[in-house]
Amino acid sequence: MDSVPAQTHQGYKEAGVASASHSLTSSTSLPAKVESRTAVMEALEDIVYGSAAGIVGKYIEYPFDTVKVRLQSQPDHLPLRYTGPLDCFRQSIRADGFLGLYRGITAPLVGAALENSSLFFFERIGRGLIYSCGFAAPNTELSLSALWFTGGFAGAFTSFILTPVELVKCKIQVPDEPGGKPRQLKPIPVIKEIWRHEGLRGFWHGQMGTLIREAGGCAAWFGSKETTSKWFRERNEKALLKRGGSQEDLLESRDKALPLWQQAIAGASAGMSYNFLFFPADTVKSRMQTSPLGGSAEGGGGATKKTTFVEETRALWKQAGIKGFYRGCGITVLRSAPSSAFIFMVYDGLKKYFPMA
């Protein structure tokens, strides 16, 4: 079987478009500005369409994310407030109503737009680096290992953008601080409070956990999506040949997007891989980011210094063992399936039907 670059959400392997562009440039000697404009428009697509996809996904997953954070952030010096996800849902709805599960969604919507646009943008940059450094020939399909690398590259850079947003989100989502002190429910007061107590540096509290989760998780996110998509393409091609399809039919099928249900499964597998594999790092991060401002108040004592990632990990292990690191994991993996499916479907659909480049 001839090796033909497969179509992906990034468009690097849209061989027909790339060939036509190369032919047109070489035959008419167009200035380099054309290629620059195309690159700029592709980057703009990543930002605009990635933002739109992220917002859609956030509306789907946010109630489950609120429950996850509340389960993760239960203090280790007090009895557990929730026995599990269903109990947390029940208590939360009884206390604040269903809309209470969407409390503080403004900051996460901004964060979702920033996160997904950054991920797709930096993932494109990662692909470009692989091609420009000569690890892959132009207009050829990247290996799956290279795709996992570009995902990790994107996640690492995105983590620095995401940590401040996650910090504000977590502080709003948890009902109250240890000792019964009510938390702020709006982003601006929370931002002011963080600035007053800890300055600019305080907005990156929990950065290590975000970095581990995003770098590893996004490698799995992009890698799983592409791995599953590739499996579906090969399956579809075999089915086409069994039906008596010609080589022309085979080549034509590679230029078409996967059926919607296959795109959904590929996106769902990406979300589940992202959330499950590095969930312990996310748990430690949530505990760090929901601690009282100005230090820990364990045991009712005075404020002490903030715990580090390693210190928080040790404390959680001592309190609950391995199970403590996976509080809320089931509900998180469950909600990530439809959320990620919609993110990729919206992003791919916008790029296909409303191309800017």
Side-chain angles (χ1 to χ4, degrees):
M1 186 180 296
D2 296 334
S3 176
V4 179
Q7 188 180 44
T8 69
H9 61 278
Q10 257 61 38
Y12 269 104
K13 293 171 278 187
E14 292 174 351
V17 175
S19 301
S21 174
H22 176 74
S23 176
L24 182 63
T25 304
S26 60
S27 62
T28 59
S29 301
L30 289 178
K33 286 184 178 180
V34 174
E35 291 185 7
S36 299
R37 181 180 179 279
T38 300
V40 170
M41 296 308 292
E42 287 177 344
L44 185 61
E45 279 186 343
D46 291 335
I47 294 170
V48 175
Y49 295 160
S51 297
I55 289 172
V56 171
K58 184 55 65 177
Y59 269 113
I60 294 170
E61 71 175 34
Y62 193 74
F64 302 95
D65 187 64
T66 298
V67 170
K68 179 207 74 168
V69 170
R70 291 180 179 181
L71 289 170
Q72 287 178 325
S73 59
Q74 297 179 88
D76 53 12
H77 62 289
L78 297 173
L80 294 180
R81 181 171 183 172
Y82 311 108
T83 58
L86 292 179
D87 181 54
C88 187
F89 263 118
R90 204 162 29 238
Q91 290 193 43
S92 299
I93 293 173
R94 186 183 302 125
D96 304 313
F98 180 75
L99 291 180
L101 294 172
Y102 280 93
R103 187 169 81 179
I105 194 174
T106 305
L109 286 178
V110 174
L114 286 172
E115 178 182 15
N116 286 276
S117 60
S118 298
L119 284 175
F120 288 116
F121 176 75
F122 284 116
E123 203 268 352
R124 176 182 294 278
I125 292 177
R127 287 176 182 248
L129 286 173
I130 289 177
Y131 286 118
S132 62
C133 292
F135 294 113
N139 298 327
T140 59
E141 184 176 0
L142 292 181
S143 66
L144 290 177
S145 59
L147 293 171
W148 282 68
F149 166 80
T150 60
F153 175 88
F157 278 93
T158 300
S159 70
F160 291 94
I161 298 172
L162 194 58
T163 297
V165 180
E166 291 260 312
L167 178 65
V168 174
K169 173 188 76 81
C170 285
K171 289 194 175 298
I172 293 174
Q173 283 178 312
V174 175
D176 49 52
E177 295 184 354
K181 179 184 176 183
R183 292 183 184 267
Q184 296 284 357
L185 302 182
K186 294 183 179 180
I188 298 302
V190 171
I191 291 170
K192 288 180 179 178
E193 196 174 359
I194 295 170
W195 177 265
R196 184 170 64 253
H197 283 89
E198 299 172 7
L200 182 63
R201 184 178 180 181
F203 287 96
W204 277 269
H205 185 60
Q207 169 62 33
M208 179 59 71
T210 311
L211 176 63
I212 294 172
R213 185 196 69 186
E214 290 296 307
C218 289
W221 198 55
F222 284 105
S224 295
K225 194 264 184 181
E226 295 296 344
T227 300
T228 307
S229 297
K230 182 178 181 181
W231 182 83
F232 274 127
R233 289 190 198 100
E234 292 174 348
R235 176 179 176 275
N236 295 344
E237 289 176 6
K238 290 178 181 178
L240 179 62
L241 292 175
K242 282 185 177 181
R243 295 195 302 267
S246 65
Q247 196 70 15
E248 288 184 1
D249 294 331
L250 189 64
L251 295 175
E252 184 179 344
S253 70
R254 293 176 183 175
D255 292 330
K256 295 179 180 178
L258 291 173
L260 205 59
W261 69 272
Q262 292 182 352
Q263 292 182 44
I265 291 177
S269 70
M272 295 172 75
S273 299
Y274 167 93
N275 282 282
F276 179 74
L277 293 176
F278 293 88
F279 194 81
D282 184 64
T283 298
V284 175
K285 177 202 72 72
S286 292
R287 288 169 60 90
M288 294 176 68
Q289 293 185 329
T290 54
S291 62
L293 288 170
S296 173
E298 283 190 31
T304 60
K305 71 179 183 68
K306 289 278 187 182
T307 57
T308 65
F309 184 83
V310 173
E311 289 169 343
E312 194 68 53
T313 301
R314 287 174 179 166
L316 180 57
W317 177 268
K318 185 177 180 181
Q319 176 215 2
I322 190 67
K323 289 176 63 177
F325 290 92
Y326 286 92
R327 285 181 192 153
C329 182
I331 194 171
T332 302
V333 173
L334 181 66
R335 58 90 169 163
S336 69
S339 174
S340 285
F342 272 97
I343 286 173
F344 278 112
M345 288 164 64
V346 169
Y347 178 79
D348 289 342
L350 288 173
K351 285 181 71 75
K352 178 181 179 180
Y353 295 108
F354 302 97
M356 295 182 183

